[in-house]
């Protein structure tokens, strides 16, 4: 993907128009106002990135709190003395009430789920990296609706602020799924649950705005010469996720609105006291939330396409199969919600949803096998982004295979609501989406900020994160298969060793992510200036834009002349001579 014009902001100044998008517009207040009112997709992407990483820290703090509480089981002596309960330190008063400690645990567990799902994983890749990269990869100046893009950022900010305000007010203990009738009856004397549900409702609009923007951008703003099958697979992944966001998010919006009405006016939709049906809420919730599981994972898969192709300098094996599998996942995801209700639906429905659950595994497996085939005999560069891609393959495969166990009716009856489900969910969501997200940040960091990071310490952080993740969640598969129920604040002595291993792993994860944070901060302060194309990519953001890009992305409209992964035929422009030579042609057999 190249153009005759490869001049960026660092290639001979052509005036103020060639300043980097990060170039300050004046004094501090002028610059702040410029960022606050910007319609530049790159700045909006960076603001999303900062906010999402901050929310990730808050959600992680709640997770550490949960793991500290589960370090050992709680015991209450005959004289009322409580031991083994970490959260006793937060219980007010002299009389240490173990039940109040359990309530704090419930709030921390709910907070972790709410923040990580609604404020981190759903917006993580599309809102930050997607916003920054989609127009650059398509050869466009911006997204289709720049002002709608800014509106989506402020809607996200409003929902986040409201959610944090509810946490500071005392939090909620409904669980992140808000299952009825508990969520319609608990904390009845307070408005905290209503406000938290309202925050989730507001955040849904941000998803819809972003998804609409991306769908129209992909359809209308591709560079000359870029057909549907000339697009980078990152764009296909973001496009598939955007379709799900637009179609599924209104369902949860209406459901949460009905729950607010239920709490305020007792109108009898979900609450059986007034003639409602609590299982109806589960159908509505999962009809949204299961497709949105793929809003979370499809963008992660999209990142892996780029990391593997560039990391081993090979054309993606089966490009069209990977592209169509993205759309297949998006389509099938809407008809598998019932596997969350195996224990509360009829036998025929359970059999049908079990079969559909196995079906959705096929396009996911297509992607995994294609990535492995791409790696085969590739010239693999084991830098930090590629290491995260390889970790994704391992962790996501474990998450996907254990999902098949849960999709089997007979096995699910045993594993339902146990720690096995927790481990499966985290291997897909964190071992998939978050691992890919962190790998993607490392990959595009030089492009976004124009600075290189310390590769050695980034790899150290990766190793600690990988070890910590497996130490945290592998023991939970064992616990769950032995019957340890999830979400409980207390447990029997048999599970102590597994919970302690999980807690140690959680602290290793914390250390690994803190190393990454320090590496990025050091990069911004003292990192070397990045080359326009340090990894030798062939997509437009690498070949036609400087690092960091100028305000309007390109100084001339790019014209696409080759595919995004034609490493066999094209030497990446904007690289030093000889840095990325073409592979030697295969030896021809001698004719006899």
């Amino acid at each position: 993907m190249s153009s005759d014009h490869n001049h960026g902001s660092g290639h001979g100044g052509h005036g103020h128009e060639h300043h980097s998008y990060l170039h300050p517009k004046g004094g501090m207040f002028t610059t702040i106002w410029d960022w606050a009112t910007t319609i530049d997709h790159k700045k909006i992407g960076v603001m999303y990135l900062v906010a999402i990483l901050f929310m990730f820290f808050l959600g992680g703090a709640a997770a550490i709190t949960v793991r500290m509480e589960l370090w050992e089981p709680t015991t209450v002596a005959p004289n009322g003395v409580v031991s083994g309960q970490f959260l006793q330190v937060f219980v007010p008063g002299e009389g240490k009430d173990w039940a109040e400690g359990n309530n704090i645990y419930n709030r921390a567990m709910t907070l972790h789920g709410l923040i990580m799902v609604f404020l981190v994983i759903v917006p993580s890749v599309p809102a930050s990296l997607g916003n920054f990269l989609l127009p650059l990869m398509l050869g466009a100046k911006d997204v289709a609706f720049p002002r709608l893009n800014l509106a989506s950022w402020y809607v996200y900010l409003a929902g986040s602020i409201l959610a944090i305000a509810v946490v500071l007010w005392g939090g909620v203990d409904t669980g992140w799924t808000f299952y009825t009738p508990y969520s319609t009856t608990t904390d009845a004397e307070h408005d905290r649950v209503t406000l938290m549900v309202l925050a989730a409702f507001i955040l849904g609009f941000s998803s819809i705005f972003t998804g609409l923007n991306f769908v129209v951008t992909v359809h209308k703003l591709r560079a000359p010469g870029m057909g549907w099958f000339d697009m980078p697979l990152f764009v296909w992944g973001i496009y598939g996720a955007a379709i799900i966001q637009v179609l599924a998010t209104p369902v949860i919006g209406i459901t949460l609105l009905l729950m607010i009405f239920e709490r305020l006016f007792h109108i009898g939709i979900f609450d059986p006291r007034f003639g409602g049906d609590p299982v109806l809420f589960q159908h509505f919730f999962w009809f949204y939330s299961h497709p949105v599981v793929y809003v979370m994972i499809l963008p992660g898969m999209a990142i892996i396409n780029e990391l593997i192709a560039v990391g081993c300098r090979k054309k993606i094996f089966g490009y069209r199969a990977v592209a169509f599998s993205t759309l297949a996942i998006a389509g099938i995801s809407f008809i598998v919600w019932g596997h969350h209700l195996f224990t509360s639906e009829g036998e025929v429905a359970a059999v049908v949803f079990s079969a559909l659950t196995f079906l959705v595994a096929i396009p996911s497996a297509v992607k995994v096998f294609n990535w492995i085939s791409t790696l085969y005999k590739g010239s693999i560069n084991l830098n930090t982004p590629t290491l995260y891609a390889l970790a994704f393959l391992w962790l996501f495969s474990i998450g996907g295979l254990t999902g098949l166990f849960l999709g089997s009716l007979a096995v699910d009856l045993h594993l339902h609501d146990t720690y096995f489900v927790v481990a499966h969910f985290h291997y897909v969501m964190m071992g998939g989406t978050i691992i890919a997200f962190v790998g993607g940040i490392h990959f595009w960091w030089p492009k976004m900020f124009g600075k290189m990071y310390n590769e050695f310490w980034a790899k150290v952080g990766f190793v600690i994160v990988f070890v910590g993740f497996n130490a945290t969640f592998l023991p939970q598969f064992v616990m769950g298969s032995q019957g340890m129920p999830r979400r409980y604040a207390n447990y029997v002595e048999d599970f102590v060793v597994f919970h302690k291993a999980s807690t140690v792993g959680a602290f290793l994860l914390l250390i690994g992510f803190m190393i990454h944070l320090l590496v990025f901060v050091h990069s911004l302060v003292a990192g070397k200036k990045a080359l326009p194309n340090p990894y030798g990519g062939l997509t437009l953001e690498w070949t036609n834009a400087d690092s960091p890009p100028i305000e309007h992305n390109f100084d001339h409209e790019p014209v696409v002349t080759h595919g995004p992964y034609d490493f066999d035929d094209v030497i990446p422009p904007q690289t030093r001579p000889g840095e990325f030579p073409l592979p030697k042609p295969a030896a021809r057999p001698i004719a006899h």
Side-chain angles (χ1 to χ4, degrees):
M1 293 188 168
S2 64
S3 156
D4 295 332
H5 307 281
N6 285 329
H7 302 295
S9 59
H11 301 284
H14 296 280
H16 66 280
E17 62 181 324
H18 286 284
H19 282 312
S20 149
Y21 81 98
L22 292 171
H23 189 75
K25 294 296 178 68
M28 184 176 72
F29 291 109
T30 309
T31 301
I32 291 172
W33 179 250
D34 173 60
W35 277 77
T37 58
T38 186
I39 55 172
D40 183 351
H41 67 99
K42 298 182 293 298
K43 290 182 177 177
I44 293 171
V46 170
M47 290 192 293
Y48 263 119
L49 180 63
V50 172
I52 287 165
L53 292 179
F54 174 72
M55 292 299 171
F56 183 64
F57 170 78
L58 287 185
I64 290 290
T65 304
V66 167
R67 292 296 346 147
M68 285 296 293
E69 173 60 26
L70 295 171
W71 176 256
E72 57 184 338
T74 304
T75 56
V76 183
N79 61 358
V81 175
V82 180
S83 61
Q85 191 177 61
F86 166 73
L87 292 172
Q88 279 294 314
V89 297
F90 299 108
V91 176
E94 290 299 322
K96 296 297 187 182
D97 181 3
W98 62 271
E100 184 57 31
N102 289 349
N103 287 336
I104 297 172
Y105 167 86
N106 287 341
R107 285 180 166 81
M109 186 266 298
T110 299
L111 175 65
H112 169 64
L114 282 172
I115 288 181
M116 287 302 198
V117 172
F118 293 112
L119 296 173
V120 177
I121 300 181
V122 170
S124 59
V125 180
S128 58
L129 296 179
N131 249 321
F132 192 99
L133 294 166
L134 194 74
L136 284 164
M137 286 189 165
L138 294 173
K141 284 185 177 181
D142 210 313
V143 291
F145 307 116
R147 285 178 175 79
L148 187 66
N149 201 19
L150 181 63
S152 76
W153 155 249
Y154 278 111
V155 169
Y156 173 83
L157 199 61
S160 303
I161 290 171
L162 180 56
I164 292 173
V166 174
V167 171
L168 296 176
W169 193 19
V172 297
D173 63 352
T174 57
W176 72 270
T177 55
F178 298 116
Y179 270 7
T180 56
Y182 189 63
S183 56
T184 53
T185 56
T186 186
D187 228 0
E189 68 278 9
H190 290 291
D191 295 323
R192 289 189 292 247
V193 174
T194 304
L195 290 174
M196 188 62 89
V197 171
L198 181 62
F201 176 76
I202 292 170
L203 289 163
F205 281 96
S206 179
S207 278
I208 294 170
F209 292 167
T210 302
L212 277 171
N213 226 335
F214 287 173
V215 169
V216 178
T217 303
V218 170
H219 276 267
K220 294 296 184 183
L221 297 184
R222 300 194 304 277
M226 184 182 286
W228 278 95
F229 298 106
D230 300 311
M231 296 194 309
L233 286 166
F234 179 85
V235 175
W236 276 101
I238 296 294
Y239 177 69
I243 291 172
I244 300 173
Q245 283 177 294
V246 172
L247 296 178
T249 309
V251 176
I252 194 68
I254 294 167
T255 305
L256 295 176
L257 206 57
L258 289 173
M259 182 190 286
I260 291 172
F261 287 156
E262 179 92 298
R263 283 189 67 92
L264 295 179
F265 307 116
H266 308 300
I267 54 179
I269 302 166
F270 306 123
D271 194 334
R273 294 179 303 172
F274 309 110
D277 180 2
V279 178
L280 179 64
F281 176 85
Q282 293 183 34
H283 279 286
F284 283 169
F285 182 86
W286 288 113
F287 186 78
Y288 158 80
S289 291
H290 199 81
V292 166
V293 166
Y294 297 99
V295 168
M296 303 180 207
I297 193 62
L298 278 177
M301 293 171 161
I303 289 173
I304 299 305
N305 291 310
E306 307 304 318
L307 302 195
I308 286 180
V310 178
C312 65
R313 302 203 52 72
K314 272 184 70 181
K315 182 176 291 210
I316 286 281
F317 182 88
Y319 172 99
R320 292 195 178 214
V322 176
F324 284 128
S325 68
T326 297
L327 299 183
I329 289 172
I332 298 171
S333 69
F334 280 94
I335 54 175
V336 294
W337 81 91
H339 68 215
H340 294 274
L341 293 89
F342 278 159
T343 57
S344 59
E345 66 190 359
E347 293 175 2
V348 174
V351 170
V352 170
F353 281 119
S354 177
L356 291 172
T357 301
F358 292 133
L359 180 63
V360 81
I362 295 172
S364 301
V366 166
K367 289 180 181 292
V368 172
F369 284 119
N370 281 28
W371 292 327
I372 293 170
S373 301
T374 305
L375 288 165
Y376 179 63
K377 289 191 176 179
S379 177
I380 301 174
N381 178 10
L382 289 177
N383 54 26
T384 308
T386 311
L387 289 173
Y388 268 105
L390 297 175
F392 175 96
L393 288 176
W394 171 254
L395 300 175
F396 177 75
S397 296
I398 293 174
L401 288 170
T402 51
L404 293 179
F405 302 162
L406 294 169
S408 173
L409 292 172
V411 179
D412 184 74
L413 285 173
H414 173 66
L415 298 176
H416 178 77
D417 256 347
T418 68
Y419 261 90
F420 193 95
V421 180
V422 176
H424 155 71
F425 185 78
H426 282 83
Y427 263 89
V428 174
M429 291 296 96
M430 189 172 180
T433 306
I434 296 296
I435 289 294
F437 183 44
V438 176
I441 294 172
H442 280 87
F443 184 60
W444 283 293
W445 184 267
K447 181 58 59 180
M448 297 175 78
F449 299 104
K451 295 289 188 75
M452 296 302 293
Y453 49 83
N454 185 301
E455 184 69 35
F456 171 78
W457 282 106
K459 287 180 178 176
V460 170
F462 161 78
V463 170
I464 295 174
V465 165
F466 185 75
V467 172
F469 178 86
N470 286 289
T472 303
F473 296 108
L474 272 178
Q476 296 182 9
F477 281 126
V478 182
M479 273 195 287
S481 63
Q482 293 181 4
M484 171 73 204
R486 62 176 170 170
R487 298 178 179 159
Y488 278 36
N490 203 2
Y491 56 91
V492 295
E493 295 280 349
D494 305 46
F495 300 116
V496 170
V497 64
F498 302 114
H499 276 296
K500 289 195 172 182
S502 274
T503 302
V504 170
F507 276 97
L508 282 175
L509 269 176
L510 175 63
I511 293 167
F513 284 127
M514 290 306 294
I515 289 173
H516 282 323
L517 179 62
L518 293 173
V519 165
F520 288 140
V521 171
H522 175 267
S523 164
L524 293 176
V525 174
K528 295 178 182 176
K529 179 168 171 49
L531 295 170
N533 194 358
Y535 301 114
L538 293 180
T539 45
L540 290 176
E541 84 277 16
W542 293 119
T543 60
N544 286 63
D546 209 340
S547 300
I550 59 175
E551 194 161 351
H552 294 295
N553 295 347
F554 311 101
D555 54 2
H556 295 85
E557 183 177 48
V559 177
V560 176
T561 57
H562 57 77
Y565 311 113
D566 290 345
F567 293 101
D568 290 345
D569 308 314
V570 181
I571 295 174
Q574 294 207 6
T575 55
R576 291 175 295 211
E579 188 175 10
F580 298 106
L582 292 176
K584 294 177 182 177
R588 295 175 181 271
I590 299 171
H592 294 288

